[in-house]
PDB file of all heavy atoms in Angstrom:
ATOM      1  N   GLY A   1      90.309 103.710 126.441  1.00  0.00           N
ATOM      2  CA  GLY A   1      91.096 103.857 127.661  1.00  0.00           C
ATOM      3  C   GLY A   1      92.304 102.956 127.555  1.00  0.00           C
ATOM      4  O   GLY A   1      92.936 102.876 126.510  1.00  0.00           O
ATOM      5  N   GLY A   2      92.641 102.240 128.578  1.00  0.00           N
ATOM      6  CA  GLY A   2      93.764 101.309 128.553  1.00  0.00           C
ATOM      7  C   GLY A   2      93.371  99.877 128.279  1.00  0.00           C
ATOM      8  O   GLY A   2      94.176  98.967 128.448  1.00  0.00           O
ATOM      9  N   GLU A   3      92.109  99.645 127.879  1.00  0.00           N
ATOM     10  CA  GLU A   3      91.617  98.288 127.647  1.00  0.00           C
ATOM     11  C   GLU A   3      92.337  97.624 126.467  1.00  0.00           C
ATOM     12  O   GLU A   3      92.675  98.281 125.499  1.00  0.00           O
ATOM     13  CB  GLU A   3      90.114  98.318 127.358  1.00  0.00           C
ATOM     14  CG  GLU A   3      89.287  98.908 128.471  1.00  0.00           C
ATOM     15  CD  GLU A   3      87.854  99.233 128.053  1.00  0.00           C
ATOM     16  OE1 GLU A   3      87.497  99.056 126.873  1.00  0.00           O
ATOM     17  OE2 GLU A   3      87.110  99.684 128.921  1.00  0.00           O
ATOM     18  N   THR A   4      92.552  96.299 126.577  1.00  0.00           N
ATOM     19  CA  THR A   4      93.125  95.548 125.468  1.00  0.00           C
ATOM     20  C   THR A   4      92.055  94.774 124.706  1.00  0.00           C
ATOM     21  O   THR A   4      92.306  94.253 123.629  1.00  0.00           O
ATOM     22  CB  THR A   4      94.208  94.579 125.949  1.00  0.00           C
ATOM     23  OG1 THR A   4      93.675  93.769 126.979  1.00  0.00           O
ATOM     24  CG2 THR A   4      95.407  95.346 126.473  1.00  0.00           C
ATOM     25  N   GLY A   5      90.872  94.669 125.264  1.00  0.00           N
ATOM     26  CA  GLY A   5      89.707  94.082 124.619  1.00  0.00           C
ATOM     27  C   GLY A   5      88.528  94.974 124.944  1.00  0.00           C
ATOM     28  O   GLY A   5      88.660  95.935 125.695  1.00  0.00           O
ATOM     29  N   VAL A   6      87.376  94.663 124.373  1.00  0.00           N
ATOM     30  CA  VAL A   6      86.191  95.476 124.648  1.00  0.00           C
ATOM     31  C   VAL A   6      85.805  95.307 126.114  1.00  0.00           C
ATOM     32  O   VAL A   6      85.462  94.219 126.556  1.00  0.00           O
ATOM     33  CB  VAL A   6      85.012  95.073 123.732  1.00  0.00           C
ATOM     34  CG1 VAL A   6      83.742  95.828 124.118  1.00  0.00           C
ATOM     35  CG2 VAL A   6      85.368  95.333 122.276  1.00  0.00           C
ATOM     36  N   ASP A   7      85.936  96.391 126.863  1.00  0.00           N
ATOM     37  CA  ASP A   7      85.575  96.457 128.282  1.00  0.00           C
ATOM     38  C   ASP A   7      86.298  95.423 129.151  1.00  0.00           C
ATOM     39  O   ASP A   7      85.753  94.939 130.140  1.00  0.00           O
ATOM     40  CB  ASP A   7      84.054  96.347 128.465  1.00  0.00           C
ATOM     41  CG  ASP A   7      83.321  97.528 127.851  1.00  0.00           C
ATOM     42  OD1 ASP A   7      83.939  98.593 127.684  1.00  0.00           O
ATOM     43  OD2 ASP A   7      82.127  97.385 127.539  1.00  0.00           O
ATOM     44  N   CYS A   8      87.552  95.085 128.788  1.00  0.00           N
ATOM     45  CA  CYS A   8      88.339  94.165 129.610  1.00  0.00           C
ATOM     46  C   CYS A   8      89.825  94.375 129.364  1.00  0.00           C
ATOM     47  O   CYS A   8      90.229  95.025 128.406  1.00  0.00           O
ATOM     48  CB  CYS A   8      87.964  92.716 129.332  1.00  0.00           C
ATOM     49  SG  CYS A   8      88.407  92.128 127.678  1.00  0.00           S
ATOM     50  N   GLY A   9      90.622  93.777 130.242  1.00  0.00           N
ATOM     51  CA  GLY A   9      92.069  93.853 130.110  1.00  0.00           C
ATOM     52  C   GLY A   9      92.601  95.225 130.422  1.00  0.00           C
ATOM     53  O   GLY A   9      91.868  96.135 130.792  1.00  0.00           O
ATOM     54  N   GLY A  10      93.884  95.369 130.264  1.00  0.00           N
ATOM     55  CA  GLY A  10      94.499  96.655 130.510  1.00  0.00           C
ATOM     56  C   GLY A  10      95.915  96.703 130.004  1.00  0.00           C
ATOM     57  O   GLY A  10      96.693  95.793 130.270  1.00  0.00           O
ATOM     58  N   SER A  11      96.239  97.734 129.250  1.00  0.00           N
ATOM     59  CA  SER A  11      97.570  97.837 128.666  1.00  0.00           C
ATOM     60  C   SER A  11      98.655  97.982 129.715  1.00  0.00           C
ATOM     61  O   SER A  11      99.824  97.736 129.452  1.00  0.00           O
ATOM     62  CB  SER A  11      97.632  99.019 127.699  1.00  0.00           C
ATOM     63  OG  SER A  11      97.307 100.217 128.360  1.00  0.00           O
ATOM     64  N   ASP A  12      98.268  98.347 130.928  1.00  0.00           N
ATOM     65  CA  ASP A  12      99.249  98.496 131.999  1.00  0.00           C
ATOM     66  C   ASP A  12      99.347  97.229 132.853  1.00  0.00           C
ATOM     67  O   ASP A  12     100.020  97.221 133.867  1.00  0.00           O
ATOM     68  CB  ASP A  12      98.886  99.685 132.889  1.00  0.00           C
ATOM     69  CG  ASP A  12      97.507  99.566 133.514  1.00  0.00           C
ATOM     70  OD1 ASP A  12      96.823  98.541 133.305  1.00  0.00           O
ATOM     71  OD2 ASP A  12      97.096 100.508 134.211  1.00  0.00           O
ATOM     72  N   GLY A  13      98.691  96.137 132.414  1.00  0.00           N
ATOM     73  CA  GLY A  13      98.727  94.886 133.161  1.00  0.00           C
ATOM     74  C   GLY A  13      97.752  94.839 134.310  1.00  0.00           C
ATOM     75  O   GLY A  13      97.643  93.841 135.001  1.00  0.00           O
ATOM     76  N   VAL A  14      97.009  95.907 134.516  1.00  0.00           N
ATOM     77  CA  VAL A  14      96.004  95.955 135.575  1.00  0.00           C
ATOM     78  C   VAL A  14      94.627  95.856 134.922  1.00  0.00           C
ATOM     79  O   VAL A  14      94.314  96.595 134.012  1.00  0.00           O
ATOM     80  CB  VAL A  14      96.111  97.273 136.376  1.00  0.00           C
ATOM     81  CG1 VAL A  14      95.013  97.363 137.419  1.00  0.00           C
ATOM     82  CG2 VAL A  14      97.488  97.385 137.008  1.00  0.00           C
ATOM     83  N   ASN A  15      93.830  94.915 135.389  1.00  0.00           N
ATOM     84  CA  ASN A  15      92.515  94.687 134.797  1.00  0.00           C
ATOM     85  C   ASN A  15      91.450  95.504 135.507  1.00  0.00           C
ATOM     86  O   ASN A  15      90.595  94.967 136.187  1.00  0.00           O
ATOM     87  CB  ASN A  15      92.150  93.202 134.844  1.00  0.00           C
ATOM     88  CG  ASN A  15      93.079  92.362 134.000  1.00  0.00           C
ATOM     89  OD1 ASN A  15      93.477  92.777 132.913  1.00  0.00           O
ATOM     90  ND2 ASN A  15      93.451  91.204 134.492  1.00  0.00           N
ATOM     91  N   ALA A  16      91.473  96.796 135.316  1.00  0.00           N
ATOM     92  CA  ALA A  16      90.485  97.665 135.946  1.00  0.00           C
ATOM     93  C   ALA A  16      89.072  97.274 135.530  1.00  0.00           C
ATOM     94  O   ALA A  16      88.127  97.451 136.279  1.00  0.00           O
ATOM     95  CB  ALA A  16      90.760  99.118 135.596  1.00  0.00           C
ATOM     96  N   CYS A  17      88.943  96.734 134.321  1.00  0.00           N
ATOM     97  CA  CYS A  17      87.629  96.335 133.821  1.00  0.00           C
ATOM     98  C   CYS A  17      87.416  94.829 133.883  1.00  0.00           C
ATOM     99  O   CYS A  17      86.438  94.313 133.340  1.00  0.00           O
ATOM    100  CB  CYS A  17      87.453  96.807 132.377  1.00  0.00           C
ATOM    101  SG  CYS A  17      87.312  98.595 132.207  1.00  0.00           S
ATOM    102  N   GLY A  18      88.300  94.093 134.478  1.00  0.00           N
ATOM    103  CA  GLY A  18      88.160  92.649 134.565  1.00  0.00           C
ATOM    104  C   GLY A  18      88.959  91.956 133.473  1.00  0.00           C
ATOM    105  O   GLY A  18      89.436  92.581 132.527  1.00  0.00           O
ATOM    106  N   ALA A  19      89.107  90.682 133.618  1.00  0.00           N
ATOM    107  CA  ALA A  19      89.906  89.890 132.688  1.00  0.00           C
ATOM    108  C   ALA A  19      89.122  89.549 131.428  1.00  0.00           C
ATOM    109  O   ALA A  19      87.903  89.408 131.459  1.00  0.00           O
ATOM    110  CB  ALA A  19      90.367  88.613 133.377  1.00  0.00           C
ATOM    111  N   CYS A  20      89.843  89.422 130.323  1.00  0.00           N
ATOM    112  CA  CYS A  20      89.234  89.105 129.025  1.00  0.00           C
ATOM    113  C   CYS A  20      89.082  87.592 128.835  1.00  0.00           C
ATOM    114  O   CYS A  20      89.854  86.807 129.373  1.00  0.00           O
ATOM    115  CB  CYS A  20      90.109  89.635 127.896  1.00  0.00           C
ATOM    116  SG  CYS A  20      90.342  91.434 127.899  1.00  0.00           S
ATOM    117  N   VAL A  21      88.115  87.214 128.031  1.00  0.00           N
ATOM    118  CA  VAL A  21      87.905  85.819 127.651  1.00  0.00           C
ATOM    119  C   VAL A  21      87.778  85.775 126.138  1.00  0.00           C
ATOM    120  O   VAL A  21      86.826  86.322 125.580  1.00  0.00           O
ATOM    121  CB  VAL A  21      86.639  85.228 128.299  1.00  0.00           C
ATOM    122  CG1 VAL A  21      86.396  83.804 127.819  1.00  0.00           C
ATOM    123  CG2 VAL A  21      86.720  85.307 129.815  1.00  0.00           C
ATOM    124  N   GLY A  22      88.765  85.172 125.458  1.00  0.00           N
ATOM    125  CA  GLY A  22      88.711  85.002 124.008  1.00  0.00           C
ATOM    126  C   GLY A  22      88.847  86.279 123.205  1.00  0.00           C
ATOM    127  O   GLY A  22      88.460  86.333 122.047  1.00  0.00           O
ATOM    128  N   THR A  23      89.387  87.332 123.797  1.00  0.00           N
ATOM    129  CA  THR A  23      89.532  88.601 123.094  1.00  0.00           C
ATOM    130  C   THR A  23      91.006  88.962 122.962  1.00  0.00           C
ATOM    131  O   THR A  23      91.879  88.234 123.429  1.00  0.00           O
ATOM    132  CB  THR A  23      88.792  89.738 123.824  1.00  0.00           C
ATOM    133  OG1 THR A  23      89.373  89.898 125.112  1.00  0.00           O
ATOM    134  CG2 THR A  23      87.313  89.457 123.950  1.00  0.00           C
ATOM    135  N   MET A  24      91.286  90.100 122.368  1.00  0.00           N
ATOM    136  CA  MET A  24      92.656  90.560 122.201  1.00  0.00           C
ATOM    137  C   MET A  24      93.321  90.782 123.556  1.00  0.00           C
ATOM    138  O   MET A  24      92.663  91.128 124.529  1.00  0.00           O
ATOM    139  CB  MET A  24      92.689  91.860 121.399  1.00  0.00           C
ATOM    140  CG  MET A  24      92.176  91.735 119.975  1.00  0.00           C
ATOM    141  SD  MET A  24      93.104  90.568 118.950  1.00  0.00           S
ATOM    142  CE  MET A  24      94.684  91.361 118.846  1.00  0.00           C
ATOM    143  N   CYS A  25      94.640  90.568 123.582  1.00  0.00           N
ATOM    144  CA  CYS A  25      95.407  90.770 124.797  1.00  0.00           C
ATOM    145  C   CYS A  25      96.826  91.149 124.420  1.00  0.00           C
ATOM    146  O   CYS A  25      97.260  90.941 123.290  1.00  0.00           O
ATOM    147  CB  CYS A  25      95.406  89.501 125.647  1.00  0.00           C
ATOM    148  SG  CYS A  25      95.991  88.023 124.772  1.00  0.00           S
ATOM    149  N   THR A  26      97.540  91.710 125.372  1.00  0.00           N
ATOM    150  CA  THR A  26      98.954  92.020 125.154  1.00  0.00           C
ATOM    151  C   THR A  26      99.838  91.320 126.175  1.00  0.00           C
ATOM    152  O   THR A  26     101.013  91.096 125.914  1.00  0.00           O
ATOM    153  CB  THR A  26      99.218  93.535 125.202  1.00  0.00           C
ATOM    154  OG1 THR A  26      98.744  94.050 126.437  1.00  0.00           O
ATOM    155  CG2 THR A  26      98.530  94.244 124.038  1.00  0.00           C
ATOM    156  N   VAL A  27      99.284  91.012 127.336  1.00  0.00           N
ATOM    157  CA  VAL A  27     100.006  90.277 128.380  1.00  0.00           C
ATOM    158  C   VAL A  27      99.057  89.260 128.995  1.00  0.00           C
ATOM    159  O   VAL A  27      97.830  89.390 128.918  1.00  0.00           O
ATOM    160  CB  VAL A  27     100.547  91.219 129.479  1.00  0.00           C
ATOM    161  CG1 VAL A  27     101.634  92.152 128.924  1.00  0.00           C
ATOM    162  CG2 VAL A  27      99.440  92.014 130.117  1.00  0.00           C
ATOM    163  N   SER A  28      99.621  88.228 129.618  1.00  0.00           N
ATOM    164  CA  SER A  28      98.801  87.149 130.182  1.00  0.00           C
ATOM    165  C   SER A  28      97.825  87.629 131.246  1.00  0.00           C
ATOM    166  O   SER A  28      96.731  87.079 131.388  1.00  0.00           O
ATOM    167  CB  SER A  28      99.694  86.046 130.751  1.00  0.00           C
ATOM    168  OG  SER A  28     100.377  85.408 129.698  1.00  0.00           O
ATOM    169  N   THR A  29      98.176  88.679 131.984  1.00  0.00           N
ATOM    170  CA  THR A  29      97.273  89.161 133.035  1.00  0.00           C
ATOM    171  C   THR A  29      96.037  89.844 132.469  1.00  0.00           C
ATOM    172  O   THR A  29      95.101  90.121 133.212  1.00  0.00           O
ATOM    173  CB  THR A  29      98.006  90.123 133.997  1.00  0.00           C
ATOM    174  OG1 THR A  29      98.616  91.169 133.254  1.00  0.00           O
ATOM    175  CG2 THR A  29      99.066  89.372 134.811  1.00  0.00           C
TER     176      THR A  29
END
């Protein structure tokens, strides 16, 4: 989907799945 990590983050800056901890990211949010 739009996740930037496994089941977290979001490529659109919206964390529909919650914020990531120690995983890949593209933006601070």
